[in-house]
């Protein structure tokens, strides 16, 4: 039984494209390296909570705070100033309200408190439980 020629050609093309590398990786470039293109990253605007959302968030925040006391590896963040406390609460609210992802929450927290990756990861995961 003969297979139509176009099926053979399509099969060969699929096999070749799956195994081939783009030419830019095969041949060395003689031109100067290009600068990375700037990314058009949309800034997420912080939305302030409504009174109803703020009450729900506060309950969840209290539950997460209580759970940190049960973890012997959790080290308390040193939030000494009102500005630091406001920053942290705003960051937690953005996570809780899904304005940012857990990865963004952890990255922003570790950028400010590099020695507390465990704590930011713990909080990010704990918010998923409450």
């Amino acid at each position: 039984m003969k297979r139509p020629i176009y099926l053979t050609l399509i099969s060969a093309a699929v096999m070749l494209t799956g195994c081939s590398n783009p030419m830019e990786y095969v041949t060395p470039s003689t031109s100067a390296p290009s600068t990375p293109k700037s990314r058009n990253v949309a800034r997420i605007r912080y939305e302030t909570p409504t009174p109803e959302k703020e009450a729900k968030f506060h309950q969840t925040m209290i539950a997460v705070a209580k759970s940190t006391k049960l973890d012997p590896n959790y080290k308390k963040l040193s939030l000494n100033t009102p500005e630091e406390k406001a920053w942290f609460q705003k960051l937690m609210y953005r996570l809780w309200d899904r304005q940012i992802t857990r990865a963004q929450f952890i990255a922003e927290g570790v950028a400010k408190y590099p020695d507390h990756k465990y704590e930011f990861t713990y909080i990010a995961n704990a918010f998923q439980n409450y």
Side-chain angles (χ1 to χ4, degrees), residues 17-35:
T17 58
C19 297
S20 65
N21 289 330
M23 289 304 291
E24 64 190 50
Y25 296 113
V26 176
T27 57
S29 173
T30 56
S31 63
S34 62
T35 58

Side-chain angles (χ1 to χ4, degrees), residues 56-113:
K56 289 179 184 177
F57 166 69
H58 187 70
Q59 290 174 341
T60 304
M61 186 176 66
I62 295 298
V64 169
K66 285 181 181 178
S67 75
T68 62
K69 294 177 182 178
L70 302 174
D71 186 343
N73 297 320
Y74 186 90
K75 308 244 183 315
K76 187 176 178 181
L77 297 170
S78 57
L79 303 170
N80 300 323
T81 66
E83 293 82 16
E84 290 173 329
K85 291 175 184 176
W87 168 84
F88 186 61
Q89 186 168 356
K90 181 178 171 182
L91 183 64
M92 286 192 304
Y93 178 78
R94 290 170 50 216
L95 172 67
W96 177 83
D97 196 39
R98 301 188 196 294
Q99 295 179 23
I100 58 173
T101 65
R102 286 187 288 172
Q104 289 170 318
F105 172 83
I106 294 166
E108 283 188 43
V110 170
K112 192 160 182 151
Y113 295 92

